[in-house]
Amino acid sequence: MTLAALLARKALLILTITLLVASCSFWAVHLLPENIAMQIAAARFSGTEPNQQLAEVVSQSYGLDRPILVQYADWLAGTLTLDFGVSLVTGRDVVHDIAHHGQNSLRTVFWGFIAGVALAIPTGYVCARFAGSHLDTVLTVFSAAISTIPSFLVAIVMVQLFVVELGLATLSGTSGWARLWVLVLTIALSISGLLSRVVRTAVIDVRLQPFMLHALIRGVPERELFWRHGLKNALRPVLNYLPVVFMFLIYDVIVIETVFNYHGLGWALINAVKALDVPLMQGLVLALVLFYLCCTTLSDLLTWRIYRRKAS
Amino acid sequence: MKHFFLAAAVTGAVISLTAAPGHAGPADDTIRIASPWKIGALIPSASTALSRTGVVETLTMPTTDGEIVGLLAESWIPNDTLTEWRFKIRSGVLFHDGSPLTAETVAANLTKFQEQSSLRTAPVTNIAFEGDEVVVKLDRPYSILPAVLADWNTGIVSAANLTDETGDSVAGTGPFSVTDASDPTMLKLSANDDYWGKKATIGKVEYLFVPDAQARQAMAQAGEVEFAFSLPVTATKMLASADSVQVQIQAIPRVRALKLNGGLAPLDEVVVRQAISYAIDRKGIASSIVGNPDTAASQLFPASLPAWHDTSLEPFSHDPAKAAELLASAGFTKGDDGILIRDGDRFEIEMRTYDSRPELPVIGVAIQSMLKEVGIEVTMKQGDWTVISDGHTDGTLEAGIVSDSFVYVPDPIGALSENFYKSGGFWGSMNWNNDEFDALVETYQRTVDPEKLAQLRTDMVAMIHEEHPMVTVTWYDDVYAVSKNVSNFTFDVYERDFGLNRLTWAE
Amino acid sequence: MSHVSEARRPWKLGIALTLLFVMTATFGPLLYAVDPNAQNLLSVLSPPGAQYPLGTDQLGRDVLARLLHSARYSAGIAIAVVVFSIALGCILAGIAQWTGGMISTSLVMFSDAVYALPGLLVTLLLADVLGGGAMVIVFLLWIVAWPEYFRLSYSVGQQIVNSDHVLASRLAGASGGTIFRLQVLPVILPYLLSLGAISVGRIVLAIATLGFLGVGIAPPQAEWGMMINDLRVYWQISPVQLAAPVFAIVWVVLALLILSQSMPKAKPGLN
C-alpha cells in the first residue's frame, strides 16, 4: 500500500468515527424528553427561577427553535470544525477545557507508555530467552495478572500504599515527579503486562525461524544475530498489537485519573457525565477517540515505514 | 524512525516540564483547601468559592450571634414604611483591579445579579444610586433586606466584570485576589495588600476542586492540604492516627431532606407526603449513616435555632404501619409485587442524589429501601448537584435528596422564602403552592413587632410540619479536617467565609 | 507435542473456574436466599459472624447475598451481550457474504469504524444520558461488541464459501441455509464460542468498571465495582467486606486469563 492510500484510509476512518460519535451524542440528547433549552438556561443564568420567556430567548439564541435536521447538520458542522460550544457548568469554551485537561493527560500517558514499553520489552525478551523456566512462569503469570485485573483495583492499592501509608506521592496538582510517578507506574504496569506477553511470543517465534536456527548452527552468536536480523521480525507483531495497548491507555486515563484525582481528560469526562454537561461530554469523548485514532495511525505509519520494502 | 522517537521524546519532555511542581504548607506560605464544590463560572452568584475564600464581599454580614453588621455597606436606614432602604457604601475600598468601590458599581451589581441571587425573593422594584448611597425600592414593606444582602451570592465585583462574557478572572474587594483561574478545577489566590480590613498574614491560597470524598480524605491524611471539607463521618476513625491533621465535627444549621415534586400525582397529596414521612426511620439514618443519633430531625428547624425550633410540636416518628394506613386511605392497594397501585398507576418515583456531600447517596439508598417497605418503588439517579437544580428548573425532578443551609441569609426567614414561598426553590419544596403560607411569609417580611413575629414563626413552622412540602430527614454535622499547621480557624456556621485572612501558621 | 498437553491442563481449569462462576451466579442466590437489599441500620459495617458470613456493608446489608446477586447480574448481562453479538455478527456477516458489492463493502467499513472505537467511552457517553439500567447496559455493550464477531465470522465464512466443497454443494443445488447449517456453522462455531468465553470475562470487568465509576448502574443493584467503590472509604473498618468483591473479580479475571491463554486461537489466519 502506498503512503497516500494508507493516509486516505485512516482519514476516512477518523471522519466516519467523528461523525458517528457526534451523531450518537446529538440524538441521545435530542430524543430525550428533558428540555435542553431549559437546561442551558439553568446553567447559563445559574440560579434563575424557571421561566418560559427566558427559555424562549435562550432557545432562539442557540437556534433550538429550528427544525431538528437543520440543528443536526449544524451540530455536525460544528463538530467537524472543533466547535463544541460552551460548557454548561463553567460557561467556558469546551475547547479551552479540552486543551487544558488534554495537556495533563498527555503528560502521564506519554511517560506511562514509554515506561510500559521499557518494562515490557526486557521482561518479554527475558521470558522468551528462558522460556519454560521458573523465571518465565513467574514473570508471565505476574504480568498476565496485573494486566487483567481492572485498573481501578490497581489504582486503589497504589493510592493506599504510596500516598496514604508511605507518603511518597501526592494527590493534588498536575505536575512534578512526586505527583506523576505513581500514575506513570500504574499506567506502565497495566500496559506492560499485555505487551510483554506479545514480545515473548514474538521473540520465541523468531528464534524458531529456519534462518535463525541455521545461523545458530553455523556458530553466529545469538545476541548479535538477534539484534541484526531478529529484532525487525520480532517487532512486527508488537507494532501490530499497539492499537490494543492504546485502547488500554484510554481506559486507564479514565479510571486511574479518577482514583488519583488527576485532572486530565478522563477525570473531566467523569465529572461532566455526572453533571450531564453534554457539550463537554461529547467534546471530551471525541478528544479521547481522536487521540486514540492518532496513536493507531502513528503506529500504522511506523509499521509501514519499517516494512514497506517487503510490501512493495 | 529515529526522528520520530526523538520528536516524541522532546515533545514529552517539554510537556512534562512546562508546569512547576507545587507543594503546600508553611514552607511556601500556601494554604490549600480540598473542596467538593466545583468552582463554576467566575461570577459571585454562581461560585461559592469566591465568597468563601474571601475574594468577593457582600454589603452586610452576620456576627456569630446572628446580628447583621456592615461589610461593604457602612450603614443603612429604611424609610418608615420599610419600602425603601438606603445603604451607605464604604469609602476608600478598592477592587483588585484597582478601580474604586462606588455606589454606582454596587447598584449595577445588584441589578445585574438580582434574578440569580437571594434578592429575587425580595419584592424589589428599583435599585439606584445617589451619591455614596445605594437606594433599593420595594413594592411592599420588607424588613429583612440587610439580611438578604449578607447571602454569599450577592457578592460585589468590579464594573469590568459585569459584562456578559464569563472571563478567566474576577476582581472583588476581599482580602484575597485571584491570581490564576485558568485551570477550571483550581483557584489560585494571593493576599490583597490593599485590603481595607484585616489583611491576611498568609500569602497564598489554593482552592482545589476534589469531587471524590476518598481522595479528599487521603489528601488530608497525607498532609497535602490544610483543609478538607465535607468528609465522610467515618473520617474521624480513619484519620485518628494521622499526626498532622485533626478531624472536626461541627453542628451547623443545615438540613438533609427528601425533596418532592408537589405538582406530580400522587406526591401532590398531603396524606401521601405524610405517609412518606412516617416511612422514614430518621433515628436509624442519623445513628448509622450520619453517626450522631441527635441529628435525627424531629421537625424542620434544629434546636440551635431556638426562635424557630418549636418544642410544642409533635416530633416526627417512624411508623410504617401508620404510613400504610395513610396510603390505603388515599386509595392505594398493594399489587402482586408489593408495590402500591391506584387506578392502574404504580407508585414509582425517580429520586436524584449528588455526592458532593458523601452521605447523601447513602441516605438515598436507605430511604429507597424504607419506601419499598411501604410499597413505593424508587429508582435512583446519581449525579452532581446540578441534577437537582436542573431538574427543578425544567420540572423533570420527581424526588431528590438535598441539603440546604437555613442561614445563607442569616435570618431563617430567608431560607423559608427561598425554599417554600410560592412554588419553592432548588433546595426546598417544588410546586407546593399554599396561599396561606405565602401570606404568612409576606406578613413576616414587613413585621417588626417581636411578639407578632414569634407568632408568625410558630404558624409557618406548624404548617410545614403538617404538610411536608419537603420531608425533613436529619439535621447536620459537618465533618472536616484541618491541619495542625494552621491556627485561628473557626468554622463559619453561615458557610459564607472560611475566614482565611484571620489564619496564621502555628508555631 | 508437549506444548499441546501443557496447554490442555489450564484450559480445563479455566473452564472449571468459568463454570463455577456461572453456577454460582445461577444457584448461589437460590441456595443463600437472603435479600441483598434488606438493610439493617442497627448493624452497619458489622464484621463477619454467624448471622452475616461476610459481614454487612454501610447500610447493614448482607455482603454475601450482594456478592452472589452481583454475580448473577454481571453474568446475565455478559451472556446476553455475547448471544446478541454472535447473532448480529453472524447475520450481518451472512448478508455481507451473500450480497457482496456495495453492501458488503459498507458493512465491513462500518464494522471497522465501530471496532476502532474505544467501547467504554461510548458506553460512558450514552449510559448516563439514556438513564442506565440493565437493558441499557446490555444494549450499549452490544453495540460496541458485535463487530468482533462480525469480523471473525466474515473472514472465516469467506474462507469456507470460497472452498471447493462448498462450491460443490452449490453446484449440487444446496440452498444457502443448508450450506450455512451443514458446512459453515460447524467450522465457525468453535471460534465463536472461544471468543464468546473470553468476551464474558471482559464484559464482567467492563461492568465492574462502570459500577466503580458510578455510571449507568443504579442503586440498590448489587454490583462488584459499585460495592468496591462504596466500601473503599471504610477499608480500615471493614476489610473483609471490601476484600470479598475484589476476590470475586480476581476469580473471573483468573478464569478469563487461563481461558484466553489456552483456548483455540480465534485467528483463522486470514485478513
Side-chain angles (χ1 to χ4, degrees), chain B residues 286-450:
Chain B
S287 53
S288 66
I289 301 172
V290 182
N292 177 2
D294 296 341
T295 60
S298 61
Q299 54 180 289
L300 178 63
F301 288 101
S304 63
L305 295 170
W308 293 85
H309 182 83
D310 184 349
T311 45
S312 68
L313 286 174
E314 189 194 338
F316 297 135
S317 63
H318 177 219
D319 190 347
K322 176 92 181 176
E325 196 181 301
L326 287 173
L327 287 166
S329 76
F332 283 100
T333 49
K334 274 210 175 175
D336 298 334
D337 54 354
I339 301 302
L340 296 168
I341 298 183
R342 186 176 65 183
D343 305 331
D345 290 331
R346 276 161 58 86
F347 197 157
E348 38 188 17
I349 49 176
E350 183 198 74
M351 181 164 78
R352 303 186 189 177
T353 66
Y354 55 101
D355 60 2
S356 333
R357 298 181 187 274
E359 70 287 351
L360 293 186
V362 188
I363 292 178
V365 179
I367 288 179
Q368 179 184 40
S369 154
M370 290 162 186
L371 292 184
K372 181 99 190 258
E373 246 161 69
V374 297
I376 302 170
E377 184 161 79
V378 178
T379 50
M380 296 262 297
K381 182 171 178 170
Q382 195 181 320
D384 72 359
W385 57 268
T386 49
V387 297
I388 305 278
S389 53
D390 288 357
H392 181 100
T393 310
D394 64 25
T396 55
L397 184 83
E398 297 179 2
I401 302 290
V402 298
S403 173
D404 194 33
S405 168
F406 290 121
V407 290
Y408 277 153
V409 170
D411 184 331
I413 186 62
L416 275 193
S417 37
E418 172 87 41
N419 288 337
F420 298 100
Y421 181 63
K422 299 287 185 193
S423 60
F426 292 163
W427 314 108
S429 69
M430 176 173 176
N431 298 327
W432 175 71
N433 294 298
N434 184 321
D435 296 339
E436 207 181 328
F437 180 83
D438 293 349
L440 287 176
V441 170
E442 282 169 27
T443 318
Y444 192 94
Q445 288 168 345
R446 64 167 163 262
T447 308
V448 281
D449 175 19

